[in-house]
Amino acid sequence: MRAARPPYLLLTLGMLGVVLLTALGVWQIERRTWKLALIARVEQRMNAAAAAPPAPSSWPAVTSANDEYRRVTTSGTFLNGDETLVQAVTNEGPGFWVLTPLRQADGTTVLVNRGFVPPERRDPATRRAGDPHGPVSVTGLLRISEPEGAFLRSNDPAAGRWYSRDVAAIAASHGLSDVAPFFIDADATKNPGGYPVGGLTIVRFPNNHLIYALTWFALAIMLAAALLRTISGRGRAGVSASRRAAVRRLIGAARNLSRNPGPDARAHIGSA
């Protein structure tokens, strides 16, 4: 009986799988290192003393990696008539973010997310006490624009439906110019009348990379163990087959000798 040929293609694919799974585990370890560094940078920015927001000359260089969640402070006058409501879900429940343009002393404008209002406070007439007139100072976190909309929901400026804080689109809908490409999430300083409610920025970076890495490494070890069992099992099967063949040859030789033992064999049998 011919011995089964080893599945070289299957073994090759298995070894490639071990390499791939190990590489994925290493990649997740690298991602975890990057994520921990990111969290440390953001915490440092948030806890640092508030500084002036980027000047217009540096707006093109503003990026999420270098600037988001930086603590900033600025002053100016709110353009309350140009506020925009953006749908939001917060710890306070569903409602809206109130984004109001702030005209700064240099003539430029920055959008300020003044905070959250519930649906019953959507109408500005229900919170007039919270609309300051004249110079104000705003401190908060620099945030990067959120273009186009939310998942499966696109902003509709014509209908006044906003699902993301798209700075450029909001500015265009109000005919504003010289607008910073970022916005500011106001801190928890209480507004007159209690609305909008600021300081609701949630900074959360999922960090499951260690779990993912351990999962990939475990799968790599399991696959490697399965390959080793397969290879060692086939080796043992090969040895057993050789032994069985040798036994069969010995039995056949013994049968032949019994039929025609030869002179030495006959003499030996006779003397027994």
Side-chain angles (χ1 to χ4, degrees):
M1 180 177 178
R2 182 178 297 179
R5 300 180 62 183
Y8 294 112
L9 177 60
L10 181 61
L11 294 177
T12 301
L13 291 176
M15 288 185 286
L16 289 176
V18 172
V19 172
L20 177 60
L21 292 170
T22 303
L24 287 172
V26 172
W27 175 63
Q28 287 295 335
I29 292 295
E30 294 173 349
R31 289 280 296 172
R32 180 175 183 271
T33 302
W34 168 82
K35 184 65 68 66
L36 291 175
L38 173 63
I39 293 173
R41 286 198 305 271
V42 169
E43 289 180 348
Q44 182 180 18
R45 293 173 189 171
M46 295 177 63
N47 295 323
S57 60
S58 62
W59 285 354
V62 172
T63 64
S64 175
N66 295 327
D67 300 286
E68 190 160 28
Y69 300 110
R70 195 178 298 279
R71 195 159 178 257
V72 297
T73 185
T74 187
S75 59
T77 303
F78 278 124
L79 306 179
N80 294 308
D82 290 322
E83 77 173 26
T84 299
L85 298 179
V86 180
Q87 289 194 14
V89 177
T90 72
N91 292 334
E92 302 287 326
F96 302 90
W97 297 123
V98 178
L99 267 70
T100 307
L102 180 73
R103 183 65 51 81
Q104 301 177 106
D106 61 359
T108 62
T109 300
V110 60
L111 287 184
V112 177
N113 176 16
R114 300 190 59 216
F116 168 83
V117 293
E120 63 271 17
R121 296 282 185 167
R122 175 174 184 170
D123 187 349
T126 64
R127 43 184 168 83
R128 288 299 184 195
D131 291 343
H133 298 278
V136 296
S137 179
V138 175
T139 299
L141 301 177
L142 186 150
R143 301 295 307 279
I144 302 300
S145 179
E146 302 165 346
E148 298 182 359
F151 181 66
L152 297 179
R153 297 188 297 182
S154 298
N155 293 326
D156 187 354
R161 287 194 290 268
W162 298 92
Y163 303 101
S164 73
R165 293 163 290 191
D166 186 337
V167 171
I170 291 174
S173 70
H174 291 285
L176 301 173
S177 58
D178 296 325
V179 179
F182 51 84
F183 63 94
I184 298 174
D185 267 350
D187 63 13
T189 300
K190 189 173 181 179
N191 289 302
Y195 293 101
V197 180
L200 296 181
T201 305
I202 295 178
V203 182
R204 181 182 298 123
F205 295 99
N207 187 17
N208 299 317
H209 301 295
L210 181 58
I211 295 175
Y212 295 152
L214 294 176
T215 300
W216 291 127
F217 287 141
L219 291 174
I221 292 172
M222 292 169 62
L223 180 56
L227 288 174
L228 289 175
R229 283 197 300 270
T230 300
I231 294 172
S232 61
R234 286 186 173 275
R236 286 193 299 269
V239 171
S240 299
S242 299
R243 288 178 177 174
R244 286 196 297 271
V247 170
R248 284 196 296 270
R249 286 195 296 271
L250 289 173
I251 293 174
R255 287 176 178 174
N256 290 333
L257 285 173
S258 64
R259 294 191 187 101
N260 184 21
D264 293 337
R266 282 194 294 272
H268 180 73
I269 292 172
S271 62

